[in-house]
Amino acid sequence: MKKHRYFLFAACAALAGCGLFLWMSSAVNRPFAHLDSADLACVTVRLSPPDKTLLIPEPGQLVEYLKDTVIYQRDDSYQDYCGQAVTFSLTMADGSQTSVMAFSPFLVIDGVGYRTKHEPCEALNRFANKLLNDPAAPVILEDPPALAVVSGDASLGALLGSYQWQRKGDGDSFENILSDSPHPLDCGELLSPLDTGEQTAVLRFAEAPDEILNVRCWSEADLGSPDAVGQPVVLRGNEIELQPGGYIYEVHAAWAPESGYGGTASYSFYVKSTW
């Protein structure tokens, strides 16, 4: 009788073990276990902050990291967290797309959040930030980068004007965008002055241009008169000389269309210098 009870206990334990194994198999999932580099046509990553998108021309290492990722139960509370989000956009060879955001302790796949194993998720974050710090990493510029003007302790965001921009489309196609805007002297209501006692200002682009083509300025007395003739501004690297008094400045810059993105853009800003 005791022997019978022993075998019955052992059988129950085995069934319980199988049940636990099946539960764990259903609770733990490797969504990219079968991903292969050959499945991918294009891969990019966006890091926020600093709100920069990079092209990943050789995704082999990324694929290995994705294969290691493990997700558990669904959890959309990632929206309540703060920190850096790293989002990989995978375009498959068949044209389908998948978005994967690594935001430890979450992995967000096509907008759906899951609790995740920390180490593989953190590996994705490190991989993306290593690319960010690589000067040779191709930067994707969907639009002209923002420009900030800094003079002493004061700074101001410049107003984006007209631009001609190229974006990579499907396959080998390109999308050319032409955007026109009013003359800087017709934008007085949009230009808040930057007050400074300095003689110079620094042009800080969110992504440095390949070339600053030219900089010119007009006296604030010319506001509303777009036919007024501007005067050239002395430029040294990314630093400009300021005129004493109130002046409207316009900057033209160019980005080579590497990786299918780039073009030219103009920016304007208003500086009142008291030197």
Side-chain angles (χ1 to χ4, degrees), residues 185-263:
L185 293 177
D186 282 332
C187 296
E189 295 181 356
L190 301 176
L191 297 173
S192 300
L194 182 151
D195 296 311
T196 180
E198 304 292 328
Q199 298 184 22
T200 61
V202 175
L203 306 177
R204 291 185 179 170
F205 292 88
E207 184 64 32
D210 291 283
E211 183 181 4
I212 297 177
L213 300 173
N214 61 71
V215 185
R216 57 178 177 167
C217 68
W218 298 264
S219 168
E220 62 185 357
D222 294 325
L223 279 169
S225 303
D227 293 331
V229 178
Q231 61 187 82
V233 173
V234 176
L235 173 69
R236 291 184 293 270
N238 64 338
E239 183 180 78
I240 62 172
E241 286 189 3
L242 298 174
Q243 297 292 329
Y247 276 79
I248 313 301
Y249 295 79
E250 184 181 46
V251 176
H252 289 270
W255 290 259
E258 296 180 2
S259 307
Y261 303 85

Side-chain angles (χ1 to χ4, degrees), residues 113-243:
Y114 301 89
R115 284 281 174 171
T116 186
K117 191 174 181 180
H118 173 73
E119 289 79 6
C121 189
E122 186 60 26
L124 289 172
N125 188 281
R126 288 196 301 269
F127 173 77
N129 277 279
K130 184 177 180 181
L131 283 176
L132 179 65
N133 295 319
D134 182 358
V139 177
I140 291 180
L141 299 173
E142 292 281 356
D143 300 291
L147 168 62
V149 182
V150 181
S151 183
D153 296 329
S155 65
L156 181 73
L159 179 67
L160 176 63
S162 300
Y163 61 88
Q164 180 177 355
W165 209 251
Q166 176 181 288
R167 298 175 184 167
K168 191 172 183 180
D170 296 331
D172 295 325
S173 65
F174 294 92
E175 178 185 9
N176 290 300
I177 301 169
L178 293 173
S179 178
D180 201 7
S181 71
H183 191 281
L185 293 177
D186 282 332
C187 296
E189 295 181 356
L190 301 176
L191 297 173
S192 300
L194 182 151
D195 296 311
T196 180
E198 304 292 328
Q199 298 184 22
T200 61
V202 175
L203 306 177
R204 291 185 179 170
F205 292 88
E207 184 64 32
D210 291 283
E211 183 181 4
I212 297 177
L213 300 173
N214 61 71
V215 185
R216 57 178 177 167
C217 68
W218 298 264
S219 168
E220 62 185 357
D222 294 325
L223 279 169
S225 303
D227 293 331
V229 178
Q231 61 187 82
V233 173
V234 176
L235 173 69
R236 291 184 293 270
N238 64 338
E239 183 180 78
I240 62 172
E241 286 189 3
L242 298 174
Q243 297 292 329

Side-chain angles (χ1 to χ4, degrees), residues 27-32 65-72 105-107 114-118 120-121:
V28 177
N29 185 17
R30 295 180 183 270
F32 301 102
Y65 288 137
L66 287 172
K67 284 183 175 182
D68 288 339
T69 55
V70 176
I71 59 175
Y72 301 98
F106 304 95
L107 200 70
Y114 301 89
R115 284 281 174 171
T116 186
K117 191 174 181 180
H118 173 73
C121 189

Side-chain angles (χ1 to χ4, degrees), residues 59-123:
Q61 185 64 65
L62 171 64
V63 169
E64 294 305 312
Y65 288 137
L66 287 172
K67 284 183 175 182
D68 288 339
T69 55
V70 176
I71 59 175
Y72 301 98
Q73 74 276 15
R74 178 170 175 171
D75 187 342
D76 289 326
S77 63
Y78 70 89
Q79 301 174 52
D80 300 327
Y81 282 64
C82 295
Q84 186 189 51
V86 172
T87 305
F88 298 92
S89 296
L90 314 178
T91 300
M92 305 299 177
D94 62 5
S96 61
Q97 295 183 325
T98 297
S99 172
V100 183
M101 182 171 75
F103 192 43
S104 189
F106 304 95
L107 200 70
V108 184
I109 303 174
D110 292 332
V112 179
Y114 301 89
R115 284 281 174 171
T116 186
K117 191 174 181 180
H118 173 73
E119 289 79 6
C121 189
E122 186 60 26

Side-chain angles (χ1 to χ4, degrees), residues 22-44:
L22 291 173
W23 178 84
M24 290 180 66
S25 297
S26 62
V28 177
N29 185 17
R30 295 180 183 270
F32 301 102
H34 303 294
L35 183 65
D36 190 274
S37 296
D39 300 330
L40 301 172
C42 180
V43 182
T44 64

